[in-house]
Amino acid sequence: MQDYVGVQPVFQRNYNRMLLPAVIAVGIFAVLPLAGMVALSLTDFHLINGWDKEFGLKNFIRLWNDRRFMSSLNVMMLLSVFGVIFQVLLGLLIAVGLEKIVPKWRFMRGIFVVPFVVPAVAVALIWLSLFTPTLSPINAFFDLFGITVPAILTTQYGAVAAIVIADTWASYPFVMLLILAALQGISGDLDEAASIDGATKMQIFFRITLPLLKPALLMVALFRFIETLKHFPLIFIMTNGGPGRTTQATNYYAYIQTFQSSNVSYGAAIAVFLFLFAAVISFYVARANMRISDA
Amino acid sequence: MTIHKKLMQLSAASLAVITGFALTPTKAVAEDVEVLLFSMPFTRALAELEADFEAKTGLTAKIDVIGQDVFENRITLSFTGKTGDLDVVHAPVIQLQRWVKAGWLRPITAETAAMATKDDILAGPLDSFVVNGEQWGLPFLAGTGMMAYRTDLLSEAGFDEPPATWEEMLTVAAAVKEKGTPALAMRVAPGQGFNMFVYPQIMRAYGGKFFADYPTDLTPSMNTPEGLQGLEVYSKLMNDYGPEGIGNFNFGEVTAAMQSGQVAMIIDESGLIAQTLDPEKSQFADKISIAAVPSGPAGRSPAIAVHGLGIPADAPNAEASFKFIEWATSEETLTKIAISAGFADFTRASVADNSDVTERFKSIHPDFLSLRVQMLNDAIGHYRPLIPQWPQIGQAVGENINAAVNGIMSNQEALEAADEEIANILAE
């Protein structure tokens, strides 16, 4: 009988059978819908017109000629790249601050985590009201001094920035918590030894702490990147994809094709593309992470 | 029993429960009639009258009211999933052609013909639910475009009367803005029910149109000199004289801006205009008056929206569904909501004749009901084209118009893009 590493002897004999419920659950709730989506993307199903007999890669070929799809990829990358950069930087800054610089403020952790538990719809509504000049207390405050704060939701990059800001606010606690956990795993002896050798706090951070945090940073960045590919509530509520179409990220475009244009199969093809894109990114990041961890 | 056997049984039981939930039909609440509506003053008031329905018919109803944005998705999932989880649905006329073509609704022709009070329903709204000779719903709302304006702010700017034409609007708006208050707010947020509810009022007033000769020739024709002029006026009014952030305004922000005194004029749907005149909801109600939608070189074209109730094709108990529709659109219910919620868009002649209702609206504004009738008479039925592809076309055009107003593309480019995309949608 095969011995499974890390599995208690009492569970060794029925290990495979015990995995079965989980495998079935994953099959039903993850693999089956995914397979259905892939199959749908190869057909030509329209909500109103019904099924077409064609079966093939037509929807995927259409993707490369669709200017709106290409434009949605740009929007998605803008939202994802800037979102991840700001979330990781802010999360790292606060985590290091609480753990290394002012440890007596650790009790503040709970407060910093609050945005993470706010539902996405509420996050969107909060920031929508803050960015709508006639509703915003920020605008009302500056109006007292005769200063007009511009409406950023009505400009192309302003609207993108608004979504990045809202997403950063809601998601930096996730980064902060993971970095805090990673920081607590780094032995204090290293800092002490470096300090005895005359290293400054900045040198300790950049030469010791940061390199040791690399695997955690890479993984948290990957998690956040994949999450940002799925942007929906913030766009739906804050900008409705506008102004024009400048905040229609790929995920949102898939929704438009499916529900507003009734092109279900084309929407599925976009979703399959997103899945493959996320899978490829994950693969390379995981490989890079293994290399860093092994080094 | 060993630990691992217990664990395995527990896991299997959990899995059975999980899959059991997943495979169980979604209708779990034991109400006689499940109703899904999207949020507007009438539907919110109707949801509070569930007990009335039960008292009247002996049947129970659960009325869910959700945001307009999510309604479309929710209803599409229900229709296509054929879950039979809904008995009555909110049916905007603008979606009717699409829903009928897809086979998502059940006709109610015979039931409507048998109604004793059918002739009391306003003919225009009732007929707008006829497609292919069948009746697909009964109307509860006939809304139209209307203007609300601040008498004090216009007076300060030197005008005793509101602008009667869009050209006058440009002059009045400039003068009001000069005095320091944003002059005009209209919906700009992209969407067939958002900016495409208000923008065609200007487009059509200048002679612009969606198609060469609706309904016989559906060649896209938005990019004409008249269409361009209309869009230029809309863009100028919003950008030069609208409140900060107007480029993302929807009906909620427009109404709120008027109710809180942040704008001098708004043009929106009559039911929402009524809310700005209500002292309980509007801080400046005593300074707000109403007027017709401005006209242009090609005349006046107030917006029109008719909403009603329909029965999904897979509704399990059509008889109970129709009883609900009959009750919800009855004289009694409409009158009650007209009085309690200041609901102005009722669809029965008897409600307009009811002395309590007329008194209620006289207290809001003496001319409200007569102006509403005037606007409904001026409106054309195909203000937004009544074709199955309209929701998709309206969304695409709305996005381009929004891009033009927000300076993402020029007015000319927006109209060119709109024509191209309409042609593509019709060719699908």
Side-chain angles (χ1 to χ4, degrees):
Chain A
M1 190 180 69
Q2 184 184 353
D3 275 351
Y4 294 96
V5 180
V7 176
Q8 291 177 28
V10 68
F11 297 134
Q12 286 285 354
R13 193 157 56 90
N14 291 305
Y15 185 67
N16 281 334
R17 271 191 283 166
M18 286 186 67
L19 276 180
L20 199 60
V23 170
I24 292 171
V26 169
I28 289 173
F29 296 117
V31 179
L32 210 57
L34 185 64
M37 188 175 68
V38 172
L40 197 57
S41 71
L42 298 171
T43 64
D44 196 0
F45 177 58
H46 188 276
L47 272 181
I48 311 299
N49 302 333
W51 294 92
D52 201 310
K53 285 177 184 166
E54 285 184 51
F55 190 85
L57 294 170
K58 196 178 84 171
N59 290 318
F60 292 94
I61 295 165
R62 182 178 162 189
L63 282 179
W64 304 117
N65 300 315
D66 183 350
R67 279 177 299 173
R68 287 185 65 181
F69 172 70
M70 291 301 168
S71 157
S72 78
L73 286 179
N74 282 336
V75 176
M76 180 182 79
M77 290 311 291
L78 276 175
L79 292 173
S80 296
V81 171
F82 284 103
V84 171
I85 288 173
F86 289 122
Q87 287 158 31
V88 170
L89 281 179
L90 191 61
L92 176 67
L93 195 72
I94 296 173
V96 171
L98 291 180
E99 189 64 24
K100 297 275 184 190
I101 302 171
V102 275
K104 62 182 175 186
W105 283 9
R106 276 185 196 156
F107 69 92
M108 297 280 284
R109 248 183 269 178
I111 294 169
F112 283 116
V113 169
V114 168
F116 192 49
V117 296
V118 179
V121 172
V123 171
L125 289 172
I126 289 168
W127 287 95
L128 174 64
S129 62
L130 287 176
F131 288 137
T132 300
T134 50
L135 304 173
S136 173
I138 300 170
N139 287 69
F141 175 77
F142 281 101
D143 278 349
L144 295 174
F145 305 101
I147 301 167
T148 303
V149 178
I152 70 168
L153 287 176
T154 59
T155 64
Q156 180 173 0
Y157 293 110
V160 170
I163 293 169
V164 169
I165 290 169
D167 190 34
T168 300
W169 181 79
S171 305
Y172 82 82
F174 173 75
V175 179
M176 182 194 81
L177 289 173
L178 287 194
I179 302 294
L180 270 174
L183 279 171
Q184 284 161 5
I186 298 173
S187 167
D189 296 349
L190 294 171
D191 289 8
E192 208 177 316
S195 184
I196 290 166
D197 288 343
T200 63
K201 282 196 171 174
M202 291 294 268
Q203 283 172 323
I204 293 172
F205 176 72
F206 283 107
R207 299 282 176 84
I208 296 173
T209 312
L210 204 53
L212 289 171
L213 281 178
K214 256 188 197 170
L217 283 172
L218 210 55
M219 285 319 291
V220 79
L222 173 66
F223 287 150
R224 285 309 311 151
F225 186 80
I226 291 170
E227 271 304 305
T228 55
L229 297 182
K230 298 188 282 186
H231 262 312
F232 189 83
L234 294 179
I235 298 174
F236 188 72
I237 292 168
M238 288 175 68
T239 66
N240 222 347
R245 291 168 176 152
T246 53
T247 53
Q248 284 186 3
T250 310
N251 194 38
Y252 191 81
Y253 183 53
Y255 152 78
I256 286 178
Q257 282 296 337
T258 306
F259 285 101
Q260 288 178 355
S261 302
S262 306
N263 295 319
V264 180
S265 292
Y266 190 51
I270 298 170
V272 169
F273 171 87
L274 273 178
F275 168 74
L276 293 175
F277 182 71
V280 168
I281 298 275
S282 305
F283 173 75
Y284 281 107
V285 172
R287 211 165 65 162
N289 195 27
M290 277 171 68
R291 238 183 271 141
I292 291 169
S293 302
D294 293 344
Chain B
M1 189 182 283
T2 58
I3 292 172
H4 65 265
K5 270 187 184 169
K6 273 184 184 171
L7 276 172
M8 282 181 70
Q9 282 176 357
L10 190 64
S11 304
S14 305
L15 186 65
V17 169
I18 291 167
T19 49
F21 272 125
L23 300 175
T24 303
T26 48
K27 187 161 181 170
V29 183
E31 302 293 349
D32 295 317
V33 185
E34 298 280 339
V35 184
L36 186 70
L37 309 171
F38 66 72
S39 182
M40 46 174 51
F42 176 86
T43 55
R44 290 194 293 271
L46 189 70
E48 290 171 14
L49 299 179
E50 283 175 357
D52 280 23
F53 175 65
E54 190 174 351
K56 196 86 183 166
T57 62
L59 299 168
T60 57
K62 180 169 175 284
I63 305 174
D64 281 329
V65 180
I66 60 176
Q68 186 175 354
D69 293 359
V70 292
F71 172 82
E72 179 74 7
N73 314 331
R74 167 73 178 81
I75 206 77
T76 303
L77 287 173
S78 177
F79 284 152
T80 53
K82 300 190 191 308
T83 53
D85 61 329
L86 296 173
D87 298 289
V88 175
V89 291
H90 192 139
V93 161
I94 212 69
Q95 295 279 3
L96 197 66
Q97 301 269 346
R98 181 170 173 253
W99 291 3
V100 169
K101 190 180 177 201
W104 289 343
L105 288 181
R106 176 196 291 259
I108 52 170
T109 316
E111 293 91 332
T112 306
M115 280 172 72
T117 60
K118 182 194 163 197
D119 293 341
D120 182 37
I121 302 172
L122 300 178
L126 182 64
D127 289 347
S128 63
F129 279 94
V130 176
V131 178
N132 304 332
E134 298 270 17
Q135 187 82 33
W136 299 91
L138 290 183
F140 63 78
L141 177 149
T144 183
M146 217 182 252
M147 186 200 306
Y149 66 96
R150 285 277 298 275
T151 51
D152 56 332
L153 295 177
L154 261 64
S155 185
E156 272 174 34
F159 297 93
D160 293 329
E161 295 291 328
T165 66
W166 290 106
E167 289 302 314
E168 283 179 30
M169 173 62 87
L170 287 166
T171 312
V172 173
V176 170
K177 186 74 191 277
E178 184 71 28
K179 291 282 177 188
T181 310
L184 175 67
M186 293 170 75
R187 305 177 193 187
V188 182
Q192 71 86 17
F194 304 149
N195 59 350
M196 293 313 289
F197 177 70
V198 296
Y199 165 68
Q201 294 176 121
I202 308 181
M203 179 188 84
R204 290 189 183 281
Y206 279 90
K209 50 193 177 180
F210 291 104
F211 299 112
D213 188 17
Y214 173 89
T216 51
D217 181 0
L218 296 185
T219 307
S221 303
M222 292 194 72
N223 187 19
T224 59
E226 296 82 12
L228 183 60
Q229 200 180 357
L231 182 52
E232 281 169 351
V233 170
Y234 179 52
S235 294
K236 187 171 177 59
L237 283 170
M238 296 300 100
N239 284 316
D240 294 356
Y241 312 127
E244 193 67 31
I246 186 77
N248 199 39
F249 271 34
N250 208 335
F251 55 86
E253 288 85 8
V254 170
T255 315
M258 194 68 187
Q259 289 169 324
S260 59
Q262 297 187 61
V263 69
M265 294 175 276
I266 63 167
I267 294 173
D268 212 290
E269 195 265 338
S270 46
L272 295 169
I273 294 291
Q275 310 282 310
T276 69
L277 297 164
D278 189 337
E280 288 177 15
K281 296 170 182 161
S282 181
Q283 293 174 41
F284 296 87
D286 58 330
K287 294 185 175 71
I288 296 175
S289 191
I290 50 171
V293 169
S295 62
R300 189 194 319 278
S301 185
I304 184 165
V306 178
H307 292 239
L309 299 172
I311 304 175
D314 55 3
N317 185 353
E319 198 181 329
S321 300
F322 190 76
K323 273 187 182 164
F324 180 87
I325 293 178
E326 207 172 3
W327 166 79
T329 60
S330 67
E331 179 191 350
E332 188 185 338
T333 305
L334 291 179
T335 303
K336 197 175 259 188
I337 294 177
I339 294 168
S340 68
F343 172 66
D345 295 329
F346 40 80
T347 48
R348 280 183 177 268
S350 55
V351 183
D353 295 337
N354 184 295
S355 58
D356 291 336
V357 173
T358 49
E359 279 309 308
R360 169 77 162 94
F361 282 97
K362 268 185 190 159
S363 70
I364 287 177
H365 194 284
D367 299 330
F368 188 89
L369 291 180
S370 56
L371 182 62
R372 174 182 173 249
V373 172
Q374 185 198 333
M375 291 297 97
L376 280 172
N377 285 334
D378 286 352
I380 52 171
H382 60 276
Y383 171 77
R384 288 174 287 178
L386 300 172
I387 55 175
Q389 297 91 341
W390 168 254
Q392 194 180 348
I393 289 174
Q395 180 66 29
V397 174
E399 288 169 356
N400 285 302
I401 298 298
N402 176 275
V405 175
N406 284 305
I408 310 292
M409 57 169 75
S410 71
N411 294 323
Q412 182 80 58
E413 286 168 344
L415 294 178
E416 283 169 9
D419 273 353
E420 187 188 334
E421 289 176 24
I422 294 173
N424 290 340
I425 292 166
L426 290 176
E428 275 178 9

